[in-house]
Every structure is written in structure tokens, then in C-alpha cells.
């Protein structure tokens, strides 16, 4: 069975909203960040996102090409859980409406590589409550954003879920990647 791997940027104060607007560090990249992100994308053959994430992802990646990451994400299958997105412009994008959890269970059961989901919003919480997220990658950024609404934070009332820490990578930028799996996830 395919796994759903959620990859989310989070600040020290728990903000997950608009990471493209967060401060950048002045530390030169050691290349690990891009390598890890590219390896994750190439280990998957589908991207899953919610209707709130789709517009910014589509706008950012449809405008890029000519590098392995951009070419991969633009060519792979994408699923958007939404009751408002009707005619997605991004190539290979399918809208999932109605009983999204049932449809995502079907996608997980199909043969193929894993499915990556970026960001942690309403779709992620629905997946979490249904027991469908197998791996959680938190990219902890070394700063406080300092301003947020409750919708901008990772916390939402939800089910208690146990995770096992299976990996850590400290980047020279100060970002720490924490990788967790559910105890029942295929390893």
C-alpha cells in the first residue's frame, strides 16, 4: 500500500501559514535542503493538497521549469481536495470533491509510489482523523513569525495520534527536519 507523507514547514512559534513570506537566513545553503526535498518528490508519484494550498502551489510551480524538481512536480499527478476549485490549470491535476476520505483511501490502495502532501490544514486533519497520514516531516524553522491567527497555526482540536521519531537532519541554516511515522506505518 502507498503511504501518504506530509511535509510541512513550521516556525518555532507554530506558524505554518505563508512560509514563502518568512525571513530567509543569511547562511549559504549546503545543498541538503534541496536534496532532501527532491528525494522526497522523486519517491512519490502523486501530490495531494487542499483547495487553500493549490492556488499558491500552482502559481509557483507552473511558472518554473528546467530543473529536476520543477519538471517532476509539473509532470506528476496532482490531487486537489476542494469543493470550490472547478477547472484546475496546473497540468495533471484532478479535483476530489464529495467524500474525499473514501477517494484518498482508494488512491492509497492503488499500486504506485508514495503520495506527498504539502502543508497542514483542513485536509491534513481529516486525513489524520481517518488514520491516513503515515509519515510527517516537520521542517522546523529557527525563528518566531510573531503574528498569526488560529488558522495560521498547526494546532487544531483533533484526535490524539502517537508518532515515532525516525529521523532528524539539522541543516546549516538552522532548520531542523524531524521525520515521524505512525507506529503502524509500513517501514
Amino acid at each position: 500500500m502507498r503511504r501518504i507523507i506530509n511535509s510541512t514547514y513550521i516556525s518555532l512559534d507554530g506558524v505554518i501559514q505563508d512560509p514563502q513570506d518568512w525571513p530567509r537566513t543569511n547562511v549559504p545553503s549546503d545543498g541538503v535542503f534541496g536534496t532532501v526535498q527532491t528525494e522526497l518528490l522523486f519517491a512519490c508519484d502523486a501530490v495531494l493538497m487542499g483547495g487553500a494550498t493549490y492556488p499558491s502551489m500552482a502559481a509557483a510551480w507552473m511558472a518554473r521549469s528546467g530543473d529536476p524538481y520543477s519538471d517532476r512536480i509539473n509532470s506528476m499527478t496532482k490531487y486537489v481536495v476542494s469543493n470550490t476549485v472547478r477547472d484546475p490549470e496546473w497540468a495533471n491535476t484532478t479535483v476530489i470533491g464529495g467524500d474525499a476520505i473514501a477517494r484518498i483511501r482508494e488512491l492509497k490502495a492503488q499500486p504506485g509510489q508514495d503520495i506527498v502532501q504539502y502543508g497542514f490544514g483542513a485536509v491534513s486533519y481529516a486525513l489524520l482523523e481517518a488514520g491516513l497520514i503515515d509519515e510527517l516531516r516537520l521542517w522546523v524553522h529557527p525563528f518566531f513569525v510573531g503574528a498569526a491567527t488560529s488558522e495560521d497555526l498547526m494546532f487544531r482540536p483533533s484526535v490524539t495520534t502517537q508518532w515515532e521519531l525516525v529521523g532528524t537532519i539539522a541543516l546549516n541554516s538552522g532548520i531542523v527536519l524531524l521525520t515521524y511515522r505512525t507506529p503502524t506505518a509500513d517501514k
Side-chain angles (χ1 to χ4, degrees), residues 82-140:
S82 178
N83 291 317
T84 57
V85 175
R86 297 283 181 238
D87 189 21
E89 297 176 24
W90 201 3
N92 306 314
T93 299
T94 300
V95 176
I96 299 174
D99 189 354
I101 295 301
R103 180 66 181 118
I104 293 167
R105 279 189 205 284
E106 292 171 4
L107 292 173
K108 275 190 75 167
Q110 292 175 357
Q113 293 177 281
D114 291 333
I115 301 167
V116 63
Q117 185 206 15
Y118 295 109
F120 212 96
V123 172
S124 302
Y125 277 97
L127 295 172
L128 185 68
E129 290 179 12
L132 293 175
I133 298 178
D134 302 288
E135 185 171 301
L136 177 60
R137 295 185 181 192
L138 294 176
W139 298 78
V140 182

Side-chain angles (χ1 to χ4, degrees), residues 45-164:
D45 64 3
V47 177
L48 176 64
M49 64 197 102
T53 302
Y54 172 78
S56 60
M57 290 282 290
W61 294 108
M62 286 186 344
R64 294 186 59 178
S65 66
D67 64 87
Y69 192 94
S70 298
D71 292 345
R72 173 72 173 173
I73 199 166
N74 284 321
S75 66
M76 67 195 306
T77 301
K78 292 166 280 293
Y79 297 98
V80 179
V81 177
S82 178
N83 291 317
T84 57
V85 175
R86 297 283 181 238
D87 189 21
E89 297 176 24
W90 201 3
N92 306 314
T93 299
T94 300
V95 176
I96 299 174
D99 189 354
I101 295 301
R103 180 66 181 118
I104 293 167
R105 279 189 205 284
E106 292 171 4
L107 292 173
K108 275 190 75 167
Q110 292 175 357
Q113 293 177 281
D114 291 333
I115 301 167
V116 63
Q117 185 206 15
Y118 295 109
F120 212 96
V123 172
S124 302
Y125 277 97
L127 295 172
L128 185 68
E129 290 179 12
L132 293 175
I133 298 178
D134 302 288
E135 185 171 301
L136 177 60
R137 295 185 181 192
L138 294 176
W139 298 78
V140 182
H141 287 66
F143 50 77
F144 281 69
V145 172
T149 68
S150 61
E151 292 298 309
D152 298 336
L153 301 174
M154 188 163 182
F155 172 77
R156 309 273 195 299
S158 185
V159 297
T160 299
T161 306
Q162 182 70 39
W163 297 92
E164 295 176 347

Side-chain angles (χ1 to χ4, degrees), residues 135-138 164-169 177-181:
E135 185 171 301
L136 177 60
R137 295 185 181 192
L138 294 176
E164 295 176 347
L165 180 66
V166 296
T168 59
I169 299 174
L177 171 59
L178 304 172
T179 301
Y180 294 93
R181 287 195 188 125

